[in-house]
């Protein structure tokens, strides 16, 4: 069993002679209470090639203090990390191992650094005695445990200020102002581990070379692909933890990759990318089971909540909740099994291999302003054909299908323009925005199609159970009207989006 908490903290350089200034002069702090000293002993784990450290993750097994156990810290933003804790055991708890899988794959994690800390703790309290933040001054001794550099040590003193649960980040600003006035400066290292690895590295420290700015069309496409692959890997733990919007964002990354591989086939060899597109399509479909249910649940709950009580005939909310829970429980199990599957890990390895040895075609060496717009506009022409076809269809099932196909084409054009934006600038940004407006109308229409199908099923189930199906029929009619409104809206939205101005600017 693993517990999670959001950690918001700031680190500062210190020395054994560092003395705390009067922090009661920081806004909101009424008292500073000394809580005493503790001895902490932590062993940090990573792969042989430091994959966790490369992504700023830390995994440790710590004894001492009031939170002994296994700790996995995942960065959220600057100074903010999610800390997942598990009980103190000899072996890595499976719950934490699963969260590491997208990074480590099949590589074992082994001890890389041991850090001993003598921690002097102070609590910052408000006038009611409520804890605002914990400030600690740590005397640190780090020892490298890897085969290369084994036994090398480094020692330093640092200060940490960690915000209490649900605390106001403005407090950290107020405390920092007092510390800076006393000569205390922020730490250059984001974590103890990063500093320990740098200061105990064997031989001379190597400076990480900054990647050169993209120059060619191939450079820009690969940079986009690299960002989407990174998003897949980074979102994996969030999906496993069922964090809000994580499945959606991971699914979008798969779609963007598929779009890039298809749109930029003259830049990346399709004999290599087509098999990857097939696997990404599989992954997106598996993730879609959960995501589609999430979207549908939210839509139907909103509709039911908006009805007056006089129109809620029968146990409408209870039936909707029962159906939702049953479907989502099954979809969550399915997503978890997919992320543990060999097929998924093989896909991540294949994407890494593509980036390590990209299958560039001759067009990849061309200037981006020549190659990229042509690819984007080719996708646009496909979208124009599909929108025209959808508008020609009579209302009904055929139009529903045609609008769904147009929606998929609109996404592809939008993603293609977004990929080209770093190279083409504002014209690509504006073009992508216009394609998004088309996608939004078509997407809302498709959501209505899916909702109507679900509402019909719910009506049948209610009728079979002897309940009134009136409310489900009412919601069905409202969804039908919403879809018709989107169909009437599409011609005007498309006329604006297809104006020749943005296309001409894109062509340059």
């Amino acid at each position: 069993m693993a517990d999670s908490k959001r950690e918001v903290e700031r680190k500062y350089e210190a020395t054994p002679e560092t003395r705390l200034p009067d922090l009661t002069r920081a806004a909101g702090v009424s008292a500073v209470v000394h809580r005493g000293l503790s001895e902490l002993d932590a062993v940090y784990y990573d792969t042989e090639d430091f994959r966790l450290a490369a992504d700023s993750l830390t995994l440790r097994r710590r004894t001492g203090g009031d939170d002994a156990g296994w700790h996995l810290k995942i960065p959220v933003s600057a100074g903010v990390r999610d800390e997942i804790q598990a009980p103190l055991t000899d072996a890595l708890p499976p719950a934490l191992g699963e969260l590491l899988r997208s990074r480590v794959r099949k590589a074992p994690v082994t001890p890389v650094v041991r850090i001993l800390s003598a921690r002097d703790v102070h609590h910052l309290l408000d006038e009611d005695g409520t804890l605002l933040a914990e400030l600690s001054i740590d005397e640190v001794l780090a020892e490298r445990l890897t085969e290369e550099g084994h036994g090398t040590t480094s020692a330093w003193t640092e200060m940490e200020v960690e915000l209490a649960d649900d605390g106001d980040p403005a407090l950290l600003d107020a405390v920092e102002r007092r510390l800076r006035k006393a000569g205390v400066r922020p730490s250059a290292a984001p974590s103890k581990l990063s500093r320990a690895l740098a200061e105990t590295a064997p031989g001379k420290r190597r400076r990480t070379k900054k990647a050169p700015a993209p120059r060619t069309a191939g450079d820009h496409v690969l940079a986009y692909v690299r960002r989407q692959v990174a998003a897949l890997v980074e979102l994996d733990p969030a999906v496993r933890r069922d964090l809000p919007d994580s499945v959606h964002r991971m699914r979008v990354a798969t779609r963007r990759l598929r779009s890039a591989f298809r749109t930029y086939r003259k830049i990346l060899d399709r004999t290599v990318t087509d098999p990857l597109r097939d696997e990404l399509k599989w992954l997106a479909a598996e993730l879609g089971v959960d995501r589609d249910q999430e979207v549908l649940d939210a839509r139907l709950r909103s509709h039911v909540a908006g009805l007056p009580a006089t129109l809620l005939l029968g146990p409408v909310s209870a039936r909707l909740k029962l159906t939702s829970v049953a479907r989502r429980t099954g979809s969550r199990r399915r997503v978890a099994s997919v992320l543990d599957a060999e097929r998924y890990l093989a896909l991540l390895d294949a994407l890494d291999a593509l980036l390590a040895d990209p299958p560039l075609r001759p067009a990849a060496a061309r200037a981006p302003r020549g190659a990229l717009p042509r690819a984007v506009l080719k996708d646009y022409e496909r979208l124009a054909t599909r929108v025209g076809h959808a508008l020609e269809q009579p209302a009904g099932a055929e139009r529903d299908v045609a609008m769904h196909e147009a929606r998929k084409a609109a996404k592809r054009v939008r993603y293609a323009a977004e990929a080209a934006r770093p190279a083409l600038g504002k014209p690509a940004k504006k073009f992508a925005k216009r394609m998004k407006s088309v996608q939004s109308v078509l997407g809302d229409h498709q959501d209505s199609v899916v909702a109507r199908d679900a509402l019909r099923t719910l009506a049948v189930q209610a009728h079979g159970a002897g309940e009134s199906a009136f409310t489900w029929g009412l919601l069905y009619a409202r969804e039908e009207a919403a879809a018709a409104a989107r169909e009437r809206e599409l011609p005007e939205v498309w006329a604006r989006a297809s104006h020749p101005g943005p296309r001409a600017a894109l062509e340059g």
Side-chain angles (χ1 to χ4, degrees):
M1 186 69 180
D3 298 317
S4 177
K5 70 172 185 176
R6 180 63 53 89
E7 178 185 80
V8 183
E9 69 175 16
R10 295 184 186 178
K11 291 181 174 290
Y12 300 90
E13 301 286 351
T15 69
E17 290 73 36
T18 297
R19 295 293 178 266
L20 287 180
D22 181 6
L23 294 180
T24 60
R25 298 181 65 185
V29 180
S30 294
V32 179
V33 178
H34 186 220
R35 303 294 295 177
L37 298 169
S38 60
E39 300 287 337
L40 307 176
D41 186 347
V43 175
Y44 288 76
Y45 289 71
D46 206 333
T47 60
E48 185 179 8
D49 53 355
F50 298 101
R51 297 179 195 178
L52 301 183
D55 283 349
S56 300
L57 275 72
T58 60
L59 173 66
R60 72 187 179 202
R61 181 184 184 275
R62 188 161 78 181
T63 57
D66 56 6
D67 63 347
W70 287 87
H71 303 163
L72 172 62
K73 297 190 179 187
I74 302 175
V76 176
S77 59
V80 182
R81 296 186 291 183
D82 278 346
E83 182 179 286
I84 300 97
Q85 301 179 357
L88 188 63
T89 56
D90 291 336
L92 175 65
L96 298 190
E98 290 172 2
L99 299 179
L100 298 173
R101 193 158 293 146
S102 66
R103 262 84 173 193
V104 305
R105 316 289 164 81
K106 295 182 179 180
V109 292
T110 56
V112 293
V113 167
R114 182 184 184 188
I115 295 180
L116 304 176
S117 301
R119 172 162 290 181
D120 191 10
V121 178
H122 300 76
H123 282 180
L124 310 186
L125 311 177
D126 67 9
E127 58 184 7
D128 296 324
T130 301
L131 178 66
L132 300 174
E134 180 176 285
L135 183 149
S136 62
I137 300 177
D138 293 351
E139 298 286 345
V140 182
L141 175 64
E143 178 186 5
R144 198 174 189 93
L145 302 178
T146 58
E147 183 175 348
E148 190 177 10
H150 188 278
T152 306
T153 62
S154 179
W156 68 89
T157 303
E158 68 178 36
M159 183 185 298
E160 294 180 356
V161 183
E162 182 176 344
L163 200 64
D165 293 343
D166 300 320
D168 183 355
L171 175 77
L172 296 180
D173 294 333
V175 171
E176 181 165 308
R177 284 192 289 270
R178 302 309 308 171
L179 293 175
R180 282 181 175 271
K181 280 192 174 184
V184 178
R185 293 291 176 260
S187 173
S191 67
K192 286 183 174 67
L193 176 62
S194 63
R195 182 165 182 171
L197 290 175
E199 295 189 0
T200 63
K204 294 182 178 179
R205 292 187 215 167
R206 297 178 182 176
R207 288 189 176 182
T208 303
K209 291 184 178 180
K210 187 177 180 181
R215 296 175 55 197
T216 65
D219 291 341
H220 282 279
V221 172
L222 285 174
Y224 182 77
V225 169
R226 189 171 289 107
R227 288 195 296 273
Q228 306 317 315
V229 173
L232 276 181
V233 172
E234 291 169 5
L235 286 165
D236 178 293
V239 171
R240 293 176 187 272
R241 295 167 61 201
D242 199 17
L243 296 185
D245 207 36
S246 57
V247 171
H248 170 61
R249 292 166 60 205
M250 191 176 197
R251 196 180 182 196
V252 167
T254 67
R255 285 172 169 166
R256 284 176 167 153
L257 281 168
R258 287 169 57 205
S259 174
F261 290 153
R262 187 168 180 176
T263 298
Y264 297 110
R265 285 178 293 184
K266 291 192 175 181
I267 291 173
L268 294 174
D269 189 345
R270 65 179 301 178
T271 62
V272 176
T273 60
D274 277 0
L276 291 176
R277 285 185 59 244
D278 291 341
E279 291 303 282
L280 288 164
K281 184 177 182 179
W282 159 77
L283 178 58
E286 295 290 350
L287 293 171
V289 173
D290 187 67
R291 172 58 182 172
D292 291 346
Q293 188 59 43
E294 183 183 15
V295 171
L296 177 62
D297 289 348
R299 190 177 183 97
L300 296 186
R301 283 198 305 270
S302 174
H303 288 339
V304 170
L307 288 177
T310 54
L311 298 180
L312 293 173
L313 304 187
V316 174
S317 296
R319 176 165 291 283
L320 183 59
K321 183 176 181 180
L322 181 66
T323 304
S324 171
V325 169
R327 288 178 176 173
R328 286 222 71 200
T329 299
S331 64
R332 289 302 310 156
R333 286 198 296 264
R334 183 168 178 170
V335 168
S337 66
V338 166
L339 297 186
D340 286 334
E342 291 291 330
R343 183 175 181 179
Y344 166 68
L345 297 180
L347 170 59
L348 295 182
D349 286 340
L351 290 169
D352 284 348
L354 176 139
L355 290 171
D357 185 17
L360 298 175
R361 299 189 64 196
R366 296 175 187 165
R369 291 193 172 275
L372 300 187
R374 283 197 292 271
V376 175
L377 293 174
K378 185 176 181 181
D379 279 352
Y380 167 80
E381 294 301 331
R382 180 182 291 102
L383 170 61
T385 299
R386 291 189 181 182
V387 170
H389 177 66
L391 293 174
E392 291 171 356
Q393 303 305 306
E398 289 186 4
R399 176 179 281 188
D400 290 345
V401 172
M403 290 185 72
H404 183 45
E405 291 301 312
R407 175 199 184 196
K408 292 190 286 186
K411 281 185 179 181
R412 182 172 158 188
V413 182
R414 173 192 164 193
Y415 294 154
E418 288 175 349
R421 180 182 168 186
L424 305 181
K426 287 185 178 180
K429 179 182 178 181
K430 189 172 183 179
F431 193 76
K433 186 177 181 180
R434 293 195 176 215
M435 295 304 105
K436 185 178 180 180
S437 68
V438 177
Q439 177 192 329
S440 296
V441 172
L442 294 169
D444 197 40
H445 181 274
Q446 177 61 16
D447 288 346
S448 179
V449 172
V450 173
R452 277 180 278 159
D453 185 59
L455 288 165
R456 184 182 183 283
T457 299
L458 286 164
V460 170
Q461 292 172 346
H463 179 74
E467 302 163 8
S468 171
F470 170 82
T471 302
W472 305 117
L474 174 62
L475 294 177
Y476 186 99
R478 289 190 172 188
E479 283 289 5
E480 209 167 35
R486 299 291 82 73
E487 291 173 16
R488 292 192 298 271
E489 185 181 356
L490 179 60
E492 183 180 347
V493 172
W494 175 245
R496 290 196 302 267
S498 59
H499 190 277
R503 280 181 287 147
L506 192 64
E507 290 174 312

